[in-house]
Amino acid sequence: MPEFFNVLAPDAAFGALKPMLKSSVGMEVVPVSEALGRVTAADIHSPEDLPAFPRSSMDGYSVRSRDTFGASEGLPAYLDLAGEVPMGESANVRISVGQAAKAYTGGMLAEGADAVVMVERTQALDETAIEVLRAVAPGENVVQVGEDVGKGDVILPKSSVIRPQDIGGLLALGITHIDVCRKPRVGIISTGDELVPPGTQVGAGQIRDINTYTIAALIEQVGGKPIPVALAPDDFDAQRNAAVEGLAACDALVFSAGSSVSSRDLTADVINSLGEPGVIVHGISIKPGKPTVIGLVNGKPVFGLPGNPVSAMIVFHLIVRPAIYQMSGHDSAPNSASCEATITRDISSVAGREDYVPVRIKHDSGQVQAIPVFGKSNLIYMLVRSDGIVKVPLDRSGLYAGDMVDVRLF
Amino acid sequence: MPEFFNVLAPDAAFGALKPMLKSSVGMEVVPVSEALGRVTAADIHSPEDLPAFPRSSMDGYSVRSRDTFGASEGLPAYLDLAGEVPMGESANVRISVGQAAKAYTGGMLAEGADAVVMVERTQALDETAIEVLRAVAPGENVVQVGEDVGKGDVILPKSSVIRPQDIGGLLALGITHIDVCRKPRVGIISTGDELVPPGTQVGAGQIRDINTYTIAALIEQVGGKPIPVALAPDDFDAQRNAAVEGLAACDALVFSAGSSVSSRDLTADVINSLGEPGVIVHGISIKPGKPTVIGLVNGKPVFGLPGNPVSAMIVFHLIVRPAIYQMSGHDSAPNSASCEATITRDISSVAGREDYVPVRIKHDSGQVQAIPVFGKSNLIYMLVRSDGIVKVPLDRSGLYAGDMVDVRLF
């Protein structure tokens, strides 16, 4: 299909892919203690009431609240001590009219009691009796059965991202294993005749392959499982074989194109040869990053990223990141870290195209400045020296020095 | 020492500890490809120029720029083709006056050339000659030796947190291993007679130990290495033995106190028995979270967190988190994720105390609302149901419904 039909704005490009992407690539069971950051595969219900017994929320005395009604410093209520309920033990004490039992924070209420008087509101008369200096209402200083969560309640809906407190909440109910979405396996094929693995000796004219590792780290950062598949030359058969292997083992595939123009057309040809529907987007109206290819093969997305690092990073953030989040079971991609800043220089752009400019953040006398980092987009150190990117929107022809901008941090 | 001398504001509490903390607990060597998120232990210098050879940044022809001066569509410059420099190969072609050699994006410049003419600005006459339709300046469309980074330059200063692009930048220079700060090992001792491991059957009056796992996840989240040391009863010797074992194996120790009042005094006694200086802060002027103990034993920090989950989480964020970041080699703790929101209810507080209120975030017709989640601070589901916390500052006696607040997300 002719390229000009398929150059889309970034939102439209992801929008063309989104409805074809799975909302999860499957589930697996993991121990709750190792589930930090994982995404729940289904609603989780509480198997029991929490707490399972009425607990005191103070150190003091379990009482029948009515026995304290009207009590004050001037006219205390006198109660006989019927014993104590030690921490971690069952209530082996039953109180009746006019009685109290020693209670500890987190401990079980004595049987027959419906409230706790704080120790500070009492005075011990001797070993067997206390004065209560203030009345308590029924339920006061007591955590009721099921007050934290009730049996059968949904405690974590599907697509929740597990946080430290969720681990606590699950374990509190005795849930030690949960169903989570499997992390999508994302294969990486780095292409280009000039590339050699970074650990090897480089000859004249050769370049170390860094895209495999940069892209792997980006995939890891958003919760995918990066699988380096191959370093392939600019050759159709070699790339197609690598892609077939990658698609068999992975849920998605990222091509890092070689740097020459013919190289990215090769990626599109390879994608089209793999299955239906093949290439669905060929070119995105952004700078840098235009020569991006998006395809779908047997339900698995295949991304052809530009070979130069700045473009690849920007397209990853705009297109690959939300795709991985969706396939990981997220409802939507989490907000990226960002900050507001004042841009320090004019940036020219062209209406009808989104421009992205790497910036360095500087804090200067209370002001946050975004300083554009200029350079050719095939220089990896442009990104190393940057803290984030600034977007010049589609409908703007540039930004003026002094404009407030939103910096997407990376 | 009397407790009232040592109840400090949160900033002052961390400030008392900070100068006594190490700025790193040591270093280790890791492969760059596995270094995502690690902190550099020293400045890293470039061992070579990048690129190591002059590269073309376009598909086109290597030329001597002076041979194109004055060229235009009306009056093209005629150049003889001396050959090509294939991708990934050394420049085996030397051009002299009036010559050009085919060049590919990312490929090496032909010897004798000082610029590249884009293929779009040329016209092939036959197999052996081209017309150049526009002049190029010296260096045009060329990435010069060392243009990305120069030999000897500091490419990542000490205390840098490794990002995907940094992995690319290091590997581009052939740096496959780097020195990073070792992750601080943080031991966890959960105390309380009522606690049982979460996987076991609970008896009446017993509670599953969730703090070990919640705190472990918090430690992991900020880059520490959590080491569960022991589940200890409310007994001095048992806790002291666990602490001795924990300090021998770890760089820092976190006690999760039992829920009763006596329990936290026990933590302080244990810390004081371990070594000098012992307890340095006993109580912080926050709610919830006041009964917090901070100690230092042989240069290692020991934190006594309140046993209830809400307090423990808040104190972790305010005190333990920045301590772990400092010991991990960070210059300063990274900003927490946060957002601005409108608080939906009045919150009363007391001047002279920082109050923290868990809130749920709701997006309502374009407005971001922070809805306070009320409940007893010993209920873990208060945190599960919350998206973050809102601070009522020391000098305020409350917040009013409609106030804009900063929500620290967790």
Side-chain angles (χ1 to χ4, degrees), chain B residues 48-61:
Chain B
E48 56 186 60
D49 285 320
L50 186 71
F53 55 87
R55 294 171 64 181
S56 174
S57 64
M58 293 287 169
D59 286 359
Y61 296 92

Side-chain angles (χ1 to χ4, degrees), chain A residues 173-209:
Chain A
L173 294 164
I175 301 172
T176 57
H177 291 75
I178 53 170
D179 294 342
V180 295
C181 298
R182 189 165 63 69
K183 293 185 173 198
R185 295 165 64 90
V186 184
I188 306 165
I189 299 174
S190 204
T191 70
D193 289 337
E194 73 279 24
L195 299 181
V196 295
T200 55
Q201 192 63 39
V202 286
Q206 294 184 323
I207 303 286
R208 298 182 179 96
D209 167 37

Side-chain angles (χ1 to χ4, degrees), chain B residues 120-347:
Chain B
E120 293 88 340
R121 308 273 183 248
T122 64
Q123 203 155 311
L125 291 177
D126 53 33
E127 299 287 288
T128 64
I130 58 165
E131 286 182 345
V132 174
L133 309 175
R134 193 190 286 181
V136 285
E140 196 165 332
N141 299 325
V142 176
V143 184
Q144 303 290 355
V145 171
E147 182 174 335
D148 203 354
V149 72
K151 183 174 178 173
D153 288 357
V154 173
I155 49 176
L156 290 172
K158 188 180 170 207
S159 297
S160 298
V161 182
I162 300 292
R163 304 166 299 167
Q165 61 266 47
D166 301 326
I167 290 176
L170 291 163
L171 292 176
L173 293 164
I175 301 173
T176 57
H177 290 76
I178 53 169
D179 294 341
V180 296
C181 298
R182 190 165 62 68
K183 293 186 173 198
R185 295 164 64 91
V186 184
I188 306 165
I189 299 173
S190 204
T191 71
D193 289 337
E194 72 279 24
L195 299 181
V196 295
T200 55
Q201 192 62 39
V202 287
Q206 294 184 323
I207 302 285
R208 297 182 180 97
D209 167 38
I210 63 171
N211 289 350
T212 296
Y213 304 92
T214 308
I215 293 168
L218 287 166
I219 291 168
E220 192 186 329
Q221 219 170 34
V222 299
K225 198 170 158 56
I227 312 282
V229 174
L231 188 56
D234 288 321
D235 171 79
F236 179 85
D237 289 333
Q239 292 189 16
R240 190 177 190 283
N241 291 343
V244 167
E245 184 197 327
L247 281 172
C250 301
D251 306 298
L253 209 52
V254 175
F255 271 93
S256 168
S259 34
S260 68
V261 174
S262 56
S263 181
R264 68 175 132 119
D265 295 331
L266 189 53
T267 307
D269 291 345
V270 169
I271 294 173
N272 277 328
S273 80
L274 292 167
E276 292 301 319
V279 172
I280 55 176
V281 176
H282 196 153
I284 304 182
S285 50
I286 53 175
K287 184 186 177 188
K290 181 165 183 278
T292 296
V293 180
I294 304 176
L296 193 81
V297 175
N298 306 326
K300 296 179 179 181
V302 183
F303 304 95
L305 299 190
N308 79 62
V310 183
S311 308
M313 180 99 157
I314 289 166
V315 175
F316 186 93
H317 275 283
L318 296 177
I319 307 288
V320 184
R321 177 182 183 275
I324 293 179
Y325 274 124
Q326 178 165 333
M327 296 170 74
S328 304
H330 285 257
D331 276 339
S332 59
N335 290 334
S336 303
S338 66
C339 76
E340 287 215 315
T342 307
I343 194 122
T344 57
R345 290 185 52 162
D346 292 350
I347 304 287

